[in-house]
Amino acid sequence: MNGGLLVAGTTSDAGKSVVTAGICRWLVRQGVKVAPFKAQNMSLNSFVTREGAEIGRAQAMQAQACRVEPTAHMNPVLLKPGGERSSQVVLLGRPVGEMSARGYHGGRQERLLGTVLDSLAELRASHDAVICEGAGSPAEINLRRTDIVNMGIARGAGLPVLVVGDIDRGGVFASFFGTVALLAPEDQALVAGFLVNKFRGDVSLLEPGLEMLHGLTGRRTYGVLPFRHGLGIDEEDGLRVSLRGTVRESVVASPVGEDVLRIAVCAVPLMSNFTDVDALAAEPGVVVRFVDRPEELADADLVIVPGTRGTVRALQWLRERGLADAIARRAAEQRPVLGICGGFQLLGEHIEDDVESRAGHVDGLGLLPVRVRFDREKTLTRPVGEALGERVEGYEIHHGVAEVVAGEPFLDGCRVGQTWGTHWHGSLESDGFRRAFLREVAAAAGRRFVPAPDTSFAALREEQLDRLGDLIEHHADTDALWRLIESGAPQGLPFIPPGAPA
């Protein structure tokens, strides 16, 4: 078998990432050697593979769904926004420069089609099946000429396409029909059918509409996935975090101790790898929220300044909103503060940045004895170490090089009193270290909080991926899905006018 499938969507956030992960987990449980693929990802949440390549976190989680190690070929093009109109381009895991959206879509993207097709071919040669994820909608008619992630990759590799629609938003039938009707005949021939996501209620009430959709398009619906709370994988877009919401809707156990622990995460601009706090949110008795006002720090037992693609911009934002002063007061009062990556850098004495913001010398908050200089070469590593008497694993993604001149060592950074800083993303996923750190925070905050002795973040992730696999297995037509992956789009699918504009 050398099968493949492209999971497209009627919109962004239709559920492509989740459906791709679910199909991957379902296939691997059938004994299929499967890999995920996304030709081009735009995300501030990224991951470092064992060979030191940077890819989107969603693809890293989909690789976990496949029970394989992630590689650069699974996400050959990664765009990391640095503002409203420009992004860093990461090609096969390494940054190759900054580019405006106009410059990228004006020719660079089109030239990358060969590269992404080569990566896909590499994966298909070594796996039984490759499940590809699209981006946004395949019917973006203004971008079709340079498309390398939706119908461009589908046509280039001859992949059948499954279109996912989020019925919870409403208008799913119009979205399905309109998506197909705006594609060129050659692209329509690859669109095999639809998958309804996030349905609430009695499926029998939906079935007449699905039959009418089949009559209108000649394409079947491969399943109706029910709405489930707390389902998801690592988010792609850090710009869409709810500033008032919790990290996950999942239900966790009651606190082990008498108190809960309240954690406030500063929602800095261009926030990256905010998934670092997911491991904290999974702990019974830990409440995590994103904040953007100084008064929201008042009752927090721990304040986290997370990673960002714009360290100097985040520093300015903290000062403008009064958060910088509030954090400084906390540090002086020996109330816990944790800076991660860019958040660690801005807690230092000063920053020399001629790379990211090109602002030159900028004074930091001065809470840690650290001096930061931005290097054009990006650090991409998977370090292993020890802190608080526990083994810690993490990953580093940063241009800033930190010179630690004093303080108590803490991973690659330092600690002064109850202010902590490190470049390591993912460190809180190490269960023993996370529990030890939370005990320190609780003691400093005067909270009678006790970490649960048996929370395994890796096990919780596996449970989540199994739940996604169950959704596909129980609510999709898996026999038809298997045939689609193995044999491609059905022959003779009708053309739906008007098609793509000239």
Side-chain angles (χ1 to χ4, degrees), residues 250-266:
S250 54
V251 177
V252 296
S254 300
V256 174
E258 297 178 47
D259 287 344
V260 299
L261 212 59
R262 296 172 176 84
I263 298 176
V265 184
C266 296

Side-chain angles (χ1 to χ4, degrees), residues 179-191:
T179 296
V180 179
L182 282 176
L183 299 178
E186 297 85 352
D187 291 341
Q188 287 195 22
L190 296 171
V191 178

Side-chain angles (χ1 to χ4, degrees), residues 269-316:
L270 298 175
M271 181 165 40
S272 63
N273 286 66
F274 63 88
T275 48
D276 283 334
V277 302
D278 279 0
L280 296 174
E283 281 285 348
V286 173
V287 179
V288 178
R289 65 183 188 272
F290 291 93
V291 303
D292 62 349
R293 297 187 303 232
E295 56 268 27
E296 294 177 298
L297 306 188
D299 67 342
D301 302 307
L302 169 66
V303 169
I304 295 178
V305 188
T308 171
R309 250 283 274 155
T311 301
V312 171
R313 178 175 169 184
L315 181 58
Q316 181 182 4

Side-chain angles (χ1 to χ4, degrees), residues 72-157:
H73 287 302
M74 295 175 183
N75 179 207
V77 180
L78 173 63
L79 304 179
K80 303 192 72 174
E84 294 297 324
R85 298 186 178 182
S86 67
S87 294
Q88 183 180 67
V89 181
V90 179
L91 182 62
L92 292 173
R94 307 298 302 185
V96 294
E98 297 280 335
M99 187 165 289
S100 69
R102 181 175 294 276
Y104 185 68
H105 290 287
R108 177 66 182 269
Q109 183 182 31
E110 198 172 9
R111 293 195 295 273
L112 292 174
L113 180 60
T115 300
V116 300
L117 286 171
D118 288 346
S119 285
L120 177 56
E122 183 88 11
L123 291 174
R124 296 186 81 175
S126 55
H127 294 80
D128 299 326
V130 178
I131 308 302
C132 308
E133 179 189 342
S137 162
E140 305 288 359
I141 54 178
N142 56 315
L143 301 177
R144 176 61 186 92
R145 181 181 62 82
T146 58
D147 171 46
I148 64 169
V149 65
N150 290 306
M151 300 314 300
I153 196 77
R155 201 192 296 189

Side-chain angles (χ1 to χ4, degrees), residues 16-101:
K16 298 182 291 291
S17 297
V18 166
V19 169
T20 299
I23 293 173
C24 286
R25 178 49 61 102
W26 163 66
L27 283 172
V28 80
R29 294 196 303 209
Q30 312 308 308
V32 177
K33 187 179 180 183
V34 60
F37 178 80
K38 185 161 185 171
Q40 173 195 292
N41 198 346
M42 177 172 280
S43 179
L44 287 168
N45 284 332
S46 56
F47 183 75
V48 179
T49 67
R50 293 206 180 278
E51 69 268 27
E54 185 179 9
I55 65 172
R57 277 199 66 93
Q59 281 61 66
M61 286 296 291
Q62 289 163 354
Q64 185 174 342
C66 298
R67 298 183 178 137
V68 298
E69 274 292 322
T71 72
H73 287 302
M74 295 175 183
N75 179 207
V77 180
L78 173 63
L79 304 179
K80 303 192 72 174
E84 294 297 324
R85 298 186 178 182
S86 67
S87 294
Q88 183 180 67
V89 181
V90 179
L91 182 62
L92 292 173
R94 307 298 302 185
V96 294
E98 297 280 335
M99 187 165 289
S100 69

Side-chain angles (χ1 to χ4, degrees), residues 297-361:
L297 306 188
D299 67 342
D301 302 307
L302 169 66
V303 169
I304 295 178
V305 188
T308 171
R309 250 283 274 155
T311 301
V312 171
R313 178 175 169 184
L315 181 58
Q316 181 182 4
W317 181 86
L318 290 170
R319 285 178 168 141
E320 288 172 347
R321 289 179 171 255
L323 284 160
D325 289 339
I327 292 169
R329 285 194 298 272
R330 287 185 63 90
E333 295 165 0
Q334 296 299 306
R335 301 177 66 196
V337 175
L338 171 64
I340 302 174
C341 200
F344 162 46
Q345 294 167 7
L346 61 81
L347 293 180
E349 296 172 356
H350 66 254
I351 298 167
E352 294 288 343
D353 182 10
D354 295 318
V355 176
E356 192 175 76
S357 68
R358 297 180 176 86
H361 181 95

